[in-house]
Amino acid sequence: MKILVINPNTSAAMTEAIAQASREAASPGTEIVAVNPSFGPLSIEGHFDEAWGAAGVAEQAHLARAWQPAATVIACFGDPGLNAAREALRGPVIGIAEAAFQAASMVAEGFSVVTTMTRTCGIAEHLVQRYGFEHQCRGVHGTDIAVLSLEDCPPETVAQIEDAARQALARDRSSAIVLGCAGMAPLCRLLTQRLGVPVIDGVSVAVKWGESLAALGLHTSKAGDYAHPLPKTYLGWAKPYGWSSE
Ligand code: 2AL
């Protein structure tokens, strides 16, 4: 089966790192197609960036109509454009934040999120509420590590994330760590070894669940709120992305 992994930022290097992590998680026979939008911010570190990231996800989901992936992963921790992609596509669409929270809640009674810029903590906290994990998520912690500095992650940055995770485990009385950025996916194995608790990278969980839901024959319901968008004229540069019924 073919799984589409959309990195909502426009960093080609990060898309490649996410593709690599996705391929390591995928079963033999699963093909990972990793893409990023043709426009928008190089990294998503706030609401303004996220609005453009969501539009970029809509662009890529619209393009994927032509081949209908078996499942789609939205690989940015704010899950930008998740519901838009669900409307556009038939296969299941999974956000890495929701996948990570679900997985963490199954392996630990309480978990902490360690993320990038402190200013993005509110976005993660809103997702915790929206997905209903207020009782399991015991804290969201910013490190003020810029997303793009994860591309070429030096040992000091890894040490900083490890340190933040140790403090979170102690302060929150939690017993698992959720990595709050797709760019942290390559660090998951190393941090698991160092911390000795489950460390959850939403990219790999979302790929695995995408495969599982597709293998079960489940698709996004078109009977209700995730029905295809209404056919409509879009103006300006977004003109090609207005939905048409064919
Ligand atoms: C992210 C992420 O996963 N990708 C990105 O550009 N920004 N999230 C985050 N909290 O920094």
Side-chain angles (χ1 to χ4, degrees):
M1 70 173 76
K2 265 191 185 180
I3 295 192
L4 174 64
V5 179
I6 305 176
N7 169 21
N9 75 37
T10 51
S11 160
M14 192 162 289
T15 303
E16 193 38 51
I18 289 168
Q20 188 58 35
S22 301
R23 290 189 182 113
E24 282 169 24
S27 305
T30 296
E31 185 185 337
I32 300 293
V33 178
V35 298
N36 54 253
S38 67
F39 59 86
L42 273 173
S43 61
I44 296 174
E45 298 175 315
H47 296 286
F48 192 84
D49 295 342
E50 202 173 83
W52 287 96
V57 167
E59 177 207 38
Q60 291 303 314
H62 191 285
L63 291 171
R65 262 181 100 180
W67 58 280
Q68 290 293 342
T72 298
V73 171
I74 310 299
C76 173
F77 203 72
D79 293 352
L82 175 62
N83 287 337
R86 284 184 174 146
E87 285 188 6
L89 297 168
R90 277 189 62 77
V93 183
I94 302 169
I96 65 167
E98 67 169 356
F101 296 158
Q102 294 275 4
S105 73
M106 291 173 186
V107 297
E109 200 173 7
F111 63 84
S112 300
V113 178
V114 173
T115 188
T116 54
M117 305 303 285
T118 304
R119 63 178 293 167
T120 66
C121 288
I123 293 175
E125 284 162 359
H126 286 146
L127 288 183
V128 166
Q129 288 162 13
R130 180 168 131 206
Y131 298 143
F133 288 98
E134 295 98 323
H135 296 298
Q136 289 92 350
C137 179
R138 297 195 177 157
V140 178
H141 304 269
T143 53
D144 288 325
I145 294 168
V147 169
L148 291 184
S149 67
L150 294 166
E151 277 177 359
D152 194 18
C153 200
E156 309 84 74
T157 306
V158 183
Q160 200 182 332
I161 297 168
E162 181 186 344
D163 193 45
R166 284 191 196 284
Q167 285 184 40
L169 289 165
R171 204 185 316 151
D172 298 346
R173 285 189 309 103
S174 61
S175 42
I177 293 292
V178 165
L179 299 177
C181 180
M184 293 179 180
L187 308 179
C188 187
R189 198 168 303 143
L190 177 64
L191 289 169
T192 302
Q193 283 164 7
R194 289 197 187 168
L195 293 167
V197 296
V199 176
I200 294 111
D201 151 43
V203 176
S204 12
V205 177
V207 167
K208 274 279 168 252
W209 281 349
E211 280 181 339
S212 304
L213 296 177
L216 289 165
L218 292 170
H219 61 81
T220 300
S221 176
K222 294 296 156 194
D225 292 7
Y226 293 144
H228 286 312
L230 295 171
K232 167 168 320 184
T233 302
Y234 278 32
L235 295 180
W237 63 267
K239 200 176 168 83
Y241 304 112
W243 202 258
S244 57
S245 42
E246 81 273 1

